[in-house]
Amino acid sequence: MTAPIPRDIPDLPALPGGPTLLPSPVPATAVVPPARRPLTAIFRLLTAVAAATAVTIELLLGSPAQVLSQFAIQSSILLTLVMTIAARRAWTAHRPLPDALTGAALLYVVVAALVHHLLLTNPASPFATAPSPTGWHVLTDQLLHTAVPVAALVNWLLLTPSGQLHLRHAAPWLLYPLAYLGFSLARGELLVAGTPNRYLYGFLDVAQDGYKTILGNALLLGLAFYALAVLLVTLDHIRPNPVHHRAKTGFRLGPPVG
């Protein structure tokens, strides 16, 4: 027969617990390291070389100050830098560039191409003042306004993971076009009246149409710019993902036995 259990046993002290682990986000690259993508790197490098070649030829053929003042040239320079760095990172399996930066470079060259084809060289456009290119300008025209933008789109569609762009990127992407508008108007004011190409684009020619009309044109272009940015983000979330990373875990799971 066992002794009865006393009722006045004091409470036992709590056992010391282990250290509390604080939640911390782990980057995906710590779990699945990025893989080398040599074909992607080569394609991006060729795109950068094409854009840089066109810009260089334009600088050699024309006035550097005027050439560098064009939106298409500036956006192509940005794309050249982005594609060069992205190619190196794809070759060396480093983390990709921020999606907001690569999306901005893509958007700017696409906008430059659309403005060129729809407003500047379209006979039905009231702003079709661009003369037909001749000589080397034929090559640079095709590279800057057709080949390079198409290559940037192909890189985005086929060589870039989907769902990386976000709507919060759309508004900041407008900062550069807004700054370019201020630069273009200030440039026109500083140049002497009658200077050739004082205003590089007919829809920004204050001397001909006045500020009221020009600011109205800029507002419409800005809305179209923002709509295109939203469309780009939307398409990025509904397009299939062309890039799939396979983790190497060091072991293989087999079917259950028995």
Side-chain angles (χ1 to χ4, degrees):
M1 184 173 181
T2 58
I5 301 175
R7 299 178 179 274
D8 56 348
I9 296 178
D11 294 334
L12 296 176
L15 296 176
T20 303
L21 298 179
L22 298 178
S24 62
V26 179
T29 53
V31 180
V32 182
R36 291 183 68 250
R37 302 169 61 194
L39 295 180
T40 297
I42 292 173
F43 181 84
R44 290 173 177 173
L45 185 59
L46 291 177
T47 303
V49 169
T53 300
V55 171
T56 302
I57 294 176
E58 286 290 323
L59 289 172
L60 294 176
L61 296 178
S63 168
Q66 179 178 324
V67 170
L68 293 175
S69 299
Q70 299 175 14
F71 185 87
I73 295 295
Q74 295 179 9
S75 60
S76 296
I77 293 175
L78 174 62
L79 184 72
T80 300
L81 297 176
V82 168
M83 283 293 183
T84 302
I85 299 175
R88 182 180 182 277
R89 295 196 172 192
W91 184 271
T92 57
H94 280 69
R95 296 181 62 182
L97 289 172
D99 302 298
L101 176 60
T102 55
L106 169 65
L107 182 63
Y108 298 152
V109 294
V110 170
V111 166
L114 292 176
V115 168
H116 177 81
H117 290 292
L118 298 180
L119 296 180
L120 301 180
T121 60
N122 183 9
S125 170
F127 308 112
T129 57
S132 299
T134 58
W136 284 99
H137 291 292
V138 176
L139 173 62
T140 59
D141 182 79
Q142 292 299 319
L143 287 176
L144 290 174
H145 303 116
T146 302
V148 169
V150 169
L153 283 172
V154 170
N155 172 76
W156 172 62
L157 289 173
L158 302 182
L159 304 176
T160 304
S162 61
Q164 304 300 307
L165 304 180
H166 301 282
L167 192 58
R168 65 176 180 270
H169 297 151
W173 284 340
L174 297 180
L175 294 178
Y176 166 58
L178 183 62
Y180 182 82
L181 172 64
F183 161 77
S184 180
L185 297 180
R187 175 181 178 275
E189 289 294 331
L190 294 175
L191 293 178
V192 180
T195 302
N197 295 318
R198 181 184 176 191
Y199 295 96
L200 297 174
Y201 305 101
F203 48 82
L204 297 180
D205 194 339
V206 176
Q208 179 178 349
D209 299 322
Y211 275 100
K212 183 178 180 179
T213 301
I214 294 308
L215 293 179
N217 294 338
L219 178 60
L220 293 177
L221 286 174
L223 293 176
F225 204 116
Y226 184 77
L228 185 61
V230 173
L231 176 62
L232 189 67
V233 173
T234 303
L235 293 177
D236 187 55
H237 284 267
I238 63 176
R239 68 187 178 96
N241 186 7
V243 179
H244 300 279
H245 297 290
R246 180 177 298 176
K248 296 182 179 180
T249 59
F251 61 89
R252 182 176 59 184
L253 295 177
V257 180

